[in-house]
Amino acid sequence: MKVVLGVSGGIAAYKACELLRLFTESGHEVRVVPTREALKFVGAPTWAALSGNPVSAEVWDDVHEVPHVRIGKQADLVVVAPATADVLAKAAYGLAGDLLTNTLLTATCPVVFAPAMHTEMWQHPATRANVATLRERGAVVIDPAVGRLTGADTGPGRLPDPAEIFQVCLRVLRGRPRDLAGRKIVVSAGGTREAIDPVRYIGNRSSGLQGYALARTAVARGAEVTLVAANVVLPDPAGASVVRVESAAQLREAVLAASDGADVVVMAAAVADFRPATRHDAKIKKSDAEPEPIHLTKNPDILAELGERRRQAGDAVLPASDPGLGVRDAGDARPGRGAYPLVIVGFAAETHDVLANGQAKLARKGCDLLVVNRVGEGLVFGTPDNAATVLVAGGEPVDVPLGPKEDVADTVWDLVAARLG
């Protein structure tokens, strides 16, 4: 694939070197097109050496090759990282004062922007309007990360991790539609921990890899994603807003808060069914006597609660046989966005009677889709691959063969997009 890496004049320009390396090492041909300002941060020889291609910021270089038209027309993907407020504004208004902005005007391939700037600039109404314009035209604009900025400032505006930007770009290169554009989506991931004492806990083996794949894929398909992560040690997916939690009670609170106004909630996290009835304030000390039994109590059922809240709100679910649309728009009862999701997706980890247990759970929880996994030693938890069956309320199951967890994610979003209509 031919990738154009646009680099604009921000301090984060040096991070684009890592993104360039990820593309070249995975076999892509990369042409770096910096702005004049970007070359003040990282020089042209660096870009040329890392990409193996000539580097220029000017439309006047090699005019006989018509680079201001040719580069964009031949690209399979254009990604601008970092994308400053200035470049976003020029792209939104169709200005073409250098080689990068000319390339953006002539590109017929997907375009990804990874903004990086100070918080005040990112939150300024002009920048927000420019971002909205670019998204309406089909560009993927990744929300910046929250963290340390230039100097002592901290806030939203930091360039996401280059490896995570790369993952979004790979999703875009897969050619999936931007059918989730404008949708607000909540994804839970990881495994909850229920404290026994300040040191010990009851937990599970979930790594969060599947939930993170769902979040990355949704961002690439245009969604606004909130990721509620329970004890996950993975880099934040580029473009997702991450809320970190530990226990099932904390996860419930975060998911319910984020789902207010959401279009879709995907409960991919492995939530502990039980927690210790009593949490000891001090570490339980070992002695010669046998330890006291740990009495358990039930945790709240978050997936069932979401389904019940939607039912009580009067959301109408159509039969799955209705031309691919599982949930009506609910426009009369739900002006704009309401306090309940249109589509609810659950996950079920089973060790035996997988489909039977999954069908029972689907009916019991009141969700629209249920992703069923057979789990065990070396299966699902902590592995990069997954095989699953997606059960559909009122419809036929969809099997996903063993493959990258992004394959499961794309199947889920295909089914969700069809139900959203």
Side-chain angles (χ1 to χ4, degrees):
M1 293 284 192
K2 293 184 178 181
V3 176
V4 173
L5 174 57
V7 185
S8 56
I11 188 63
Y14 75 94
K15 294 183 179 180
C17 294
E18 182 182 349
L19 181 58
L20 170 56
R21 178 69 79 184
L22 290 168
F23 275 118
T24 57
E25 289 184 349
S26 59
H28 296 87
E29 180 184 343
V30 185
R31 175 74 181 260
V32 181
V33 182
T35 63
R36 303 178 190 98
E37 294 76 14
L39 292 176
K40 296 180 180 179
F41 292 96
V42 181
T46 299
W47 299 122
L50 292 175
S51 68
N53 283 312
V55 174
S56 175
E58 305 296 339
V59 296
W60 305 109
D61 294 338
D62 299 319
V63 174
H64 65 288
E65 295 182 354
V66 199
H68 72 290
V69 174
R70 177 179 55 83
I71 294 174
K73 288 178 65 175
Q74 292 181 351
D76 296 300
L77 174 73
V78 176
V79 52
V80 184
T84 60
D86 179 67
V87 164
L88 292 173
K90 289 175 178 176
Y93 280 89
L95 302 180
D98 59 11
L99 188 55
L100 176 56
T101 48
N102 273 270
T103 298
L104 289 169
L105 274 179
T106 57
T108 57
C109 61
V111 178
V112 176
F113 292 92
M117 64 198 72
H118 265 69
T119 301
E120 293 79 7
M121 300 172 74
W122 172 248
Q123 295 177 342
H124 194 282
T127 303
R128 305 308 299 159
N130 292 333
V131 168
T133 296
L134 292 169
R135 285 173 172 166
E136 287 170 4
R137 293 176 185 160
V140 175
V141 184
I142 303 170
D143 280 356
V146 177
R148 182 72 177 268
L149 307 173
T150 306
D153 292 344
T154 300
R158 182 182 176 90
L159 186 73
D161 186 285
E164 290 301 317
I165 298 174
F166 178 65
Q167 289 298 324
V168 171
C169 291
L170 290 183
R171 305 284 82 74
V172 173
L173 281 169
R174 284 171 65 126
R176 307 305 298 182
R178 294 191 70 256
D179 48 6
L180 299 177
R183 296 294 187 177
K184 183 179 178 183
I185 288 174
V186 180
V187 178
S188 70
T192 62
R193 296 176 180 177
E194 312 303 320
I196 299 171
D197 60 24
V199 177
R200 305 175 181 90
Y201 60 85
I202 297 172
N204 58 67
R205 298 176 183 269
S206 180
S207 64
L209 287 169
Q210 184 64 74
Y212 274 52
L214 283 155
R216 287 193 195 96
T217 308
V219 169
R221 293 173 76 149
E224 175 188 342
V225 179
T226 298
L227 176 64
V228 181
N231 308 295
V232 181
V233 292
L234 301 171
D236 291 351
S241 175
V242 181
V243 180
R244 299 197 176 277
V245 298
E246 182 172 348
S247 67
Q250 292 170 349
L251 188 138
R252 172 185 176 274
E253 181 179 358
V255 166
L256 293 182
S259 65
D260 187 3
D263 296 293
V264 185
V265 177
V266 180
M267 288 295 298
V271 183
D273 293 323
F274 308 100
R275 67 181 186 276
T278 302
R279 180 189 185 279
H280 294 264
D281 294 329
K283 178 183 176 182
I284 302 172
K285 303 297 289 184
K286 183 169 66 174
S287 67
D288 292 337
E290 287 296 313
E292 293 291 326
I294 297 174
H295 297 283
L296 302 177
T297 187
K298 284 185 178 181
N299 268 325
D301 190 327
I302 306 168
L303 183 60
E305 184 174 356
L306 286 166
E308 179 61 17
R309 286 189 173 202
R310 185 177 65 175
R311 188 192 66 78
Q312 291 181 0
D315 194 18
V317 179
L318 297 176
S321 58
D322 189 88
L325 300 178
V327 181
R328 69 174 174 87
D329 184 86
D332 295 337
R334 178 180 170 153
R337 282 192 170 108
Y340 57 94
L342 290 171
V343 180
I344 300 172
V345 182
F347 272 67
E350 303 289 348
T351 57
H352 65 284
D353 297 332
V354 174
L355 290 183
N357 287 332
Q359 291 286 4
K361 184 173 183 178
L362 176 69
R364 190 170 66 250
K365 304 290 186 179
C367 52
D368 304 287
L369 307 171
L370 189 76
V371 183
V372 184
N373 295 124
R374 181 184 296 278
V375 297
E377 290 294 333
L379 293 176
V380 181
F381 292 143
T383 66
D385 297 327
N386 195 2
T389 298
V390 184
L391 303 180
V392 181
E396 293 298 317
V398 178
D399 289 322
V400 185
L402 183 65
K405 288 185 174 178
E406 286 77 14
D407 291 350
V408 174
D410 269 327
T411 299
V412 169
W413 294 131
D414 288 344
L415 293 169
V416 166
R419 296 179 84 83
L420 289 171

